Amino acid sequence: MPNTPDVLHDPAHAFMPYPGMSVPHAATGPLSGLGFGVKDLFHVSGYPTSGGQPFLLAMLGVQHHTASTVQTLLDAGARFVGKTVTDELAFSMNGQNAHFGSPINGAAPGRIAGGSSSGSAAAVSHGLCDFALGTDTGGSVRAPASHCGLVGLRPTHGRVSLQGALDLSPSLDTCGWFTRDVPTFARVADVLLGEDCEPLPDRVRLLAPADLWALATPGARKALAPARQRIETALGKAGAAKVVLESLDAMYWHFRHIQGHEAWQVDGGFIRRFSPPLGPGVAERFAWSAGVTDEKVAASRAFRDRFRHHLAKLLGTDGVLLMPTMPDIAPRIDEPESALEDYRNRAIRLLCVAGLSGFPQLSLPLSRRDNAPLGISLLGPVGSDRSLVRLAERIAASPVSEA
């Protein structure tokens, strides 16, 4: 069991520098022996909550209650290790916080960890805890999972409680987590997910949508080929499918309009009143979000309803998408902000499939390229979260394909 890290001498730069406080947990339980980190959006009694923003840290201060999901894990016997760095106000995907630093990718130190759950991914990838909570609105679990070589889930929207956590975009926000291996991930899934109301059948209908695979770079597609073969060997040959509705640009902009409008509704009052210094990229995104009109949001929400129906019809009760998690491996940490923003915008075109639909997506660390991890994903019907983890258990038990 990992020791509690010294947050002032944290080699991963993953933890917030808060004084350590005792957080009680059950002496026994299904997660006994496991230590976990918590993204600094979730309240933990005795600890401050910052949302990655110093002015917000000063305003919120030390909390006197614990977020529901954190308490569930404590009651299951897991040991709280510390609060992890989040990208500022959770409105980034790069893993670089201008105020609290950039957590280090334990699987590829010269590359970004990915955000906004960067600290949680860094802590797990460095072995400083067994698992860590994150949130995923636009890709903030799936992106760092792919970049850091971790298992990571964006659950069905609303499946895992966010009570006692800071919002970004409530109709898109989800609570996920990271582990280094599938068996540990499954232990946490038993506690946080329970059983599916309508589980996937033993034999699923695997689908590999060409329109989504085309979003990966040629090098990434080549690197993912052995992982795709391994999954098809375990689950059956993937059939053809078309996921995109209208166009990739339409999906991208509808997602961004919803996210931006809701983010401004959540944080705009705070930003207007205090004019807090916002880091690169974050400041520009909030400035853009302030201008999203009610008419654009209404059109985007209507599109989301159509897309959700489209994907539900495609998947039925047995369909599972096999798709790249991200367009490529993590960018290098010395990339200019403009290049990171371009990468983020490319990635959203892949990531918005789960965001717009609210369906669960599980990223698996089955590939590498240029000595850096690259994730591949399973995306299933609404409510199939635990079934996807069981599929991952089957894949993990299957032989590795010869590259």
Side-chain angles (χ1 to χ4, degrees), residues 16 23 47 88 95-96 133-134 140 151 203 211 216 219 226 232 270 277 279 289 332 352 360 375 382 394 398-399:
M16 291 293 293
V23 178
Y47 279 80
E88 189 172 8
Q96 298 172 326
L133 285 182
S140 293
V151 186
R203 184 171 181 80
D211 50 3
E232 289 184 303
F270 163 72
S289 297
R332 297 195 59 82
C352 72
V382 64
R394 284 167 57 183
S398 67

Side-chain angles (χ1 to χ4, degrees), residues 55-387:
F55 280 40
L56 193 62
L57 169 62
M59 187 172 78
L60 294 178
V62 173
Q63 298 298 304
H64 301 289
H65 65 285
T66 296
S68 173
T69 294
V70 176
Q71 191 61 53
T72 296
L73 296 169
L74 295 168
D75 292 344
R79 177 177 57 89
F80 174 78
V81 169
K83 299 196 79 175
T84 59
V85 174
T86 174
D87 286 17
E88 189 172 8
L89 298 173
F91 207 5
S92 181
M93 206 183 293
N94 296 334
Q96 298 172 326
N97 187 303
H99 312 289
F100 297 109
S102 301
I104 297 172
N105 185 335
R111 298 182 180 274
I112 65 171
S116 60
S117 305
S118 52
S120 288
V124 176
S125 67
H126 281 265
L128 300 177
C129 54
D130 299 293
F131 70 97
L133 285 182
T135 61
D136 189 311
T137 301
S140 293
V141 166
R142 292 163 291 162
S146 181
H147 293 344
C148 297
L150 304 172
V151 186
L153 174 72
R154 176 196 166 92
T156 296
H157 185 263
R159 175 108 184 222
V160 182
S161 175
L162 282 168
Q163 181 182 6
L166 302 182
D167 295 329
L168 173 63
S169 175
S171 77
L172 299 170
D173 295 344
T174 62
C175 174
W177 69 97
F178 305 96
T179 68
R180 292 183 296 279
D181 60 81
V182 172
T184 305
F185 198 91
R187 286 177 66 183
V188 181
D190 286 339
V191 171
L192 292 186
L193 298 175
E195 291 298 327
D196 296 335
C197 293
E198 295 185 19
L200 290 167
D202 290 338
R203 184 171 181 80
V204 298
R205 182 168 47 91
L206 201 63
L207 301 168
D211 50 3
L212 299 184
W213 277 90
L215 290 169
T217 65
R221 289 197 298 272
K222 182 178 179 181
L224 288 168
R228 177 171 170 171
Q229 179 182 343
R230 180 180 178 186
I231 291 170
E232 289 184 303
T233 299
L235 304 183
K237 184 70 175 176
K242 178 180 181 297
V243 168
V244 174
L245 184 63
E246 293 185 11
S247 70
L248 284 165
D249 281 350
M251 292 176 59
Y252 167 85
W253 284 113
H254 287 308
F255 177 86
R256 284 206 62 192
H257 288 154
I258 295 169
Q259 182 189 40
H261 176 79
E262 293 186 1
W264 188 250
Q265 296 302 306
V266 169
D267 290 316
F270 163 72
I271 292 169
R272 281 194 306 266
R273 180 177 179 186
F274 295 105
S275 299
L278 298 174
V282 177
E284 290 79 3
R285 278 189 285 282
F286 273 111
W288 177 86
S289 297
V292 177
T293 65
D294 291 342
E295 291 76 16
K296 286 181 178 178
V297 174
S300 294
R301 287 173 174 161
F303 176 88
R304 177 169 62 181
D305 290 341
R306 294 196 303 275
F307 180 73
R308 187 178 290 139
H309 176 77
H310 161 71
L311 191 59
K313 185 176 180 181
L314 174 66
L315 296 183
T317 59
D318 64 344
V320 174
L321 298 184
L322 174 62
M323 57 187 285
T325 303
M326 296 291 283
D328 209 341
I329 57 176
R332 297 195 59 82
I333 57 176
D334 56 2
E335 291 276 2
E337 181 63 33
S338 59
L340 292 176
E341 188 66 12
D342 287 345
Y343 177 76
R344 176 182 183 273
N345 290 331
R346 285 170 51 209
I348 288 174
R349 286 165 167 80
L350 262 176
L351 296 163
C352 72
V353 174
L356 286 169
S357 66
F359 292 6
Q361 181 179 347
L362 178 68
S363 183
L364 300 173
L366 299 183
S367 298
R368 294 186 70 82
R369 166 168 133 77
D370 292 347
N371 204 33
L374 183 62
I376 192 168
S377 281
L378 302 175
L379 188 152
V382 64
S384 65
D385 311 54
R386 188 61 183 88
S387 296

